[in-house]
Amino acid sequence: MMEEKKLSDIRAMVKSHERPARTGRKLGEEVFFRSLMNIASVLIVGVMGIILLSIFYKGVSTFSWSMLLEDMGSGFYLNRGGGIKNAIIGSLYLSLSATLLALLVGLACALCMNVYLVRHRRILNAARFLLDLIWGVPSIIYGAFGFSLMVFFGIKTSLLAGIITVTLFILPIMIRAIDEVMKTVPAGLSESVLSMGSTRSELSYKVYLRQCFPGIVTAVLLAFGRAIGDAASVLYVTGESARTPTSLMDNVTTLPVAIYNQINSPHAATQDKAYASAFILTLVILAISLLSRYISKRYQKYRIY
Amino acid sequence: MESNMNQGKEGRNIERPFAEGESIIRVDGLNLHAGKTHILKNINVEIPKNKLTVILGPSGCGKTTLLKCMNRLTDLTPDIKVSGNIYIGEQPVFGSKTDIVALRRKMGLLSQRPFPLPMNIYNNIAYGLKLRGKYTRAELNELVEYYLRQVNLWDEVKDRLRSPAVRLSIGQQQRLCLARGLAVNPDIILADEPTSALDPVSSEAIEKQFAALSKDYTLVMVTHVLRQARRIADYVIFMYLGEVIEMRPAQEFFDDPREEQTKKYLAGAFN
Ligand SMILES: Nc1ncnc2c1ncn2[C@@H]1O[C@H](COP(=O)(O)OP(=O)(O)O)[C@@H](O)[C@H]1O
Ligand SMILES: [Mg+2]
């Protein structure tokens, strides 16, 4: 057993080891890391700013209202007029439906994990690990998978096939984002609610959904952004169309694919219009972000802790 | 009062001073393991109806765990093994045929820290009412007011019933949680150190309400505050290291402790 020392001895010992608070090496370290952080922040914000600025600058200058109001028609990529209305509407149909489907499935999965499977730590760990793993799978693989599903079920290239593929593609991010939020619900809240004689489904729908609402909105945003911004996952499955889709079985061209095609066009004027399309895509995402922020703010105040 | 002695399995004498029908909770040979730790060791106690029973003991002795067993909140914790059983009236708590939701409605729980629902003040109370039946708006208003008055919260919140419950102070939140628990109309109220996170004033308010409630409800309150137990307990269960050492009427317990550990605890040796 260690010899007992007096508090004053211990304090003297600690004091003798003490380094001056903010001089010499310590100060240098701090300056170094602080400037590293500053440089990184400036770089990131700068790069983001340049991308956004160039999209806005070139986008606004090549933008025309006809782009919003007209379908591509036959000659859009050949610089013979027309707009990208079909791609905007098509993209919105596709990503909104996929996000909604993924939200329903994702909520069910995340609630199941956090409310029903709380005791089964091993299953949970495995599920989370798997989801994180497939989160990293490139979207083109989902495209290929969606294509083989289509062939298997005998569906033609269509909006529907695109919706199913994109739903699968954004599901992992949706589930894990909601799951991470639900993990923060204090155990004491669940205990309190259950001890009142609530069922687990009441706990899910009346308490978890409210408590996690702002986080769920963020999850929806993440998933929606991924859905509307991705070109590769729908490349094989939606076909291409120059007209606004009117049914689930129609082919669609999405905005990212349209942008890709515009950039690949031999006509310089059409290439420039790619910026206007990117500008529109950015505005759509901006609008959805602002709307969801507004919605989530309204419920934020009820959250406990 | 007549008392009959029962021989516990480990040879310890646990007094059972209750006639048929006088007790409402009976813990029968309860053992609980979490992983490899033996947390509750062969617990045998009975808890009398419409009395305030205090579970007393130094921290870490298993008071919270025993309380959570009573309404099977252990269901939420991984790696828990329970043997033995607890009976609420005639109904076993652990058992595949038990309707745990119905059983939990008979027991309110007040936790150490208040957890209001993520809703406004009004709906925190209305939630409990709506769980059990349909009410008209007017009936709801009346009942919400009644329960808020019962915990002396009405005057403080009547002008902001629609504001989020989290905006209340911790002491107010704890009273709100008590009102919410009462609104489910339970027979039993379990409370886990309900005053330990509160300031002295709120703490005293809760304590007084508990003393008053014990006429109409069976109260089981965990505490490690001796003075509090002395003030309000009708019966005392003294626990130490996962075992029940004594279970006695409060007066006898404090005036004439039997077991060596109890004497030490009362003398302040463990604190
Ligand atoms: N889920 C668990 N896993 C492992 N040990 C636990 C768990 N829950 C409680 N314990 C342990 O059981 C003992 C009793 O805990 P608790 O019932 O909270 O004590 P008290 O409420 O009397 O302070 C403590 O030593 C605690 O560390
Ligand atoms: Mg405790």
Side-chain angles (χ1 to χ4, degrees):
Chain A
M1 180 135 174
M2 218 169 71
E3 193 186 332
E4 198 151 327
K5 284 184 179 166
K6 271 193 273 171
L7 178 62
S8 55
D9 296 340
I10 297 283
R11 293 191 62 172
M13 184 176 119
V14 172
K15 194 158 184 74
S16 70
H17 282 72
E18 223 162 67
R19 232 184 269 120
R22 280 173 45 109
T23 51
R25 211 181 69 177
K26 196 87 175 180
L27 190 61
E29 246 171 50
E30 193 170 319
V31 168
F32 177 72
F33 281 113
R34 179 129 34 92
S35 35
L36 212 61
M37 278 185 330
N38 288 346
I39 291 171
S41 317
V42 167
L43 265 178
I44 289 171
V45 173
V47 170
M48 295 291 181
I50 289 171
I51 294 176
L52 274 181
L53 268 182
S54 68
I55 288 175
F56 272 65
Y57 178 69
K58 295 203 190 171
V60 171
S61 62
T62 50
F63 176 82
S64 66
W65 289 104
S66 66
M67 287 191 72
L68 288 183
L69 301 175
E70 288 174 26
D71 279 353
M72 285 176 175
S74 56
F76 181 70
Y77 297 127
L78 305 171
N79 198 25
R80 287 194 208 129
I84 54 165
K85 178 183 142 212
N86 59 319
I88 299 172
I89 308 267
S91 258
L92 281 177
Y93 280 162
L94 185 102
S95 9
L96 288 176
S97 322
T99 308
L100 186 70
L101 276 180
L103 174 64
L104 294 179
V105 180
L107 273 180
C109 287
L111 281 173
C112 176
M113 287 165 70
N114 286 283
V115 176
Y116 290 87
L117 295 178
V118 270
R119 277 195 82 163
H120 303 85
R121 200 158 276 167
R122 245 190 244 133
I123 300 179
L124 281 180
N125 285 340
R128 289 185 175 129
F129 179 74
L130 277 180
L131 285 167
D132 289 346
L133 208 63
I134 56 178
W135 187 343
V137 171
S139 58
I140 190 80
I141 306 291
Y142 282 90
F145 179 67
F147 186 74
S148 37
L149 270 188
M150 256 171 53
V151 173
F152 184 79
F153 287 108
I155 309 173
K156 293 208 186 72
T157 55
S158 60
L159 178 58
L160 179 67
I163 291 175
I164 295 171
T165 306
V166 173
T167 302
L168 292 176
F169 168 54
I170 62 176
L171 205 48
I173 201 178
M174 186 73 102
I175 298 176
R176 283 294 280 132
I178 299 178
D179 175 46
E180 279 302 314
V181 180
M182 290 191 171
K183 267 162 70 178
T184 67
V185 172
L189 181 61
S190 303
E191 288 174 3
S192 298
V193 173
L194 287 179
S195 72
M196 292 165 76
S198 309
T199 59
R200 292 203 184 205
S201 39
E202 283 161 341
L203 173 63
S204 305
Y205 295 110
K206 298 197 171 136
V207 177
Y208 263 71
L209 290 195
R210 278 166 183 278
Q211 173 74 1
C212 301
F213 189 84
I216 294 173
V217 171
T218 309
V220 166
L221 256 187
L222 278 175
F224 176 80
R226 211 171 184 216
I228 202 169
D230 190 71
S233 60
V234 293
L235 214 52
Y236 303 136
V237 293
T238 57
E240 291 210 24
S241 163
R243 283 180 303 105
T244 303
T246 52
S247 92
L248 276 177
M249 301 318 290
D250 281 358
N251 280 354
V252 282
T253 295
T254 63
L255 262 178
V257 171
I259 293 172
Y260 175 77
N261 288 340
Q262 288 169 71
I263 293 174
N264 280 345
S265 157
H267 299 269
T270 309
Q271 285 173 18
D272 283 346
K273 275 195 180 163
Y275 280 100
S277 304
F279 173 61
I280 293 169
L281 181 59
T282 313
L283 285 189
V284 169
I285 296 175
L286 182 71
I288 303 262
S289 307
L290 290 179
L291 180 72
S292 52
R293 271 177 162 258
Y294 170 75
I295 299 173
S296 96
K297 270 262 164 62
R298 293 189 53 181
Y299 284 86
Q300 180 82 39
K301 62 181 184 200
Y302 291 108
R303 278 195 61 149
I304 69 157
Y305 310 116
Chain B
M1 194 185 290
E2 208 187 58
S3 67
N4 49 334
M5 303 285 279
N6 266 8
Q7 199 75 2
K9 273 188 196 140
E10 283 164 10
R12 198 182 288 286
N13 291 325
I14 303 294
E15 195 168 345
R16 287 192 177 157
F18 308 114
E20 278 289 312
E22 251 187 279
S23 81
I24 182 164
I25 303 176
R26 185 162 62 85
V27 184
D28 184 18
L30 189 75
N31 279 283
L32 185 142
H33 295 256
K36 291 196 178 97
T37 338
H38 197 173
I39 296 182
L40 296 179
K41 299 168 190 162
N42 191 34
I43 308 278
N44 291 285
V45 283
E46 289 182 44
I47 288 171
K49 209 169 178 168
N50 292 4
K51 291 279 190 290
L52 200 161
T53 303
V54 162
I55 302 179
L56 195 64
S59 34
C61 69
K63 306 182 295 292
T64 300
T65 311
L66 177 59
L67 205 67
K68 282 184 182 173
C69 284
M70 291 181 184
N71 61 2
R72 230 172 83 188
L73 286 178
T74 46
D75 280 4
L76 296 177
T77 326
D79 296 329
I80 289 230
K81 275 201 204 71
V82 178
S83 65
N85 216 330
I86 297 177
Y87 297 87
I88 310 296
E90 293 300 307
Q91 284 174 291
V93 172
F94 296 93
S96 51
K97 288 195 196 111
T98 302
D99 178 357
I100 191 64
V101 172
L103 207 57
R104 282 184 185 140
R105 283 183 182 174
K106 295 187 189 169
M107 292 183 274
L109 174 80
L110 205 56
S111 45
Q112 202 161 356
R113 221 177 65 171
F115 287 97
L117 302 174
M119 307 169 184
N120 64 37
I121 295 172
Y122 182 95
N123 283 334
N124 258 269
I125 311 287
Y127 177 87
L129 293 165
K130 287 191 214 156
L131 273 184
R132 298 196 75 167
K134 262 197 149 70
Y135 295 90
T136 64
R137 183 96 289 198
E139 286 168 333
L140 270 185
N141 289 343
E142 187 192 333
L143 287 169
V144 168
E145 179 173 343
Y146 175 79
Y147 284 112
L148 285 174
R149 277 188 193 285
Q150 217 182 0
V151 297
N152 290 329
L153 195 57
W154 175 253
D155 290 325
E156 291 159 59
V157 302
K158 64 181 175 208
D159 300 321
R160 47 172 174 153
L161 290 173
R162 299 288 161 189
S163 76
V166 252
R167 299 229 181 111
L168 297 174
S169 75
I170 295 289
Q172 289 171 324
Q173 285 181 21
Q174 189 66 306
R175 278 181 283 156
L176 183 72
C177 288
L178 178 58
R180 177 184 75 188
L182 295 177
V184 186
N185 202 16
D187 301 326
I188 302 167
I189 295 169
L190 310 173
D192 188 4
E193 305 193 22
T195 61
S196 66
L198 308 185
D199 60 282
V201 177
S202 315
S203 170
E204 200 188 321
I206 288 272
E207 201 182 295
K208 284 208 172 113
Q209 274 146 11
F210 263 66
L213 287 169
S214 68
K215 282 196 278 308
D216 304 300
Y217 299 87
T218 302
L219 293 162
V220 185
M221 184 172 115
V222 167
T223 185
H224 63 245
V225 185
L226 256 179
R227 268 167 299 147
Q228 187 172 51
R230 263 185 220 276
R231 282 194 294 267
I232 58 175
D234 296 319
Y235 287 85
V236 177
I237 295 173
F238 176 62
M239 289 181 74
Y240 185 60
L241 298 178
E243 289 181 84
V244 170
I245 307 295
E246 310 195 25
M247 152 98 207
R248 309 265 297 284
Q251 196 73 38
E252 288 178 29
F253 176 86
F254 289 114
D255 293 348
D256 175 29
R258 260 184 215 147
E259 304 290 334
E260 208 48 44
Q261 281 112 320
T262 319
K263 285 176 189 160
K264 275 194 197 158
Y265 182 75
L266 291 178
F270 301 153
N271 281 9

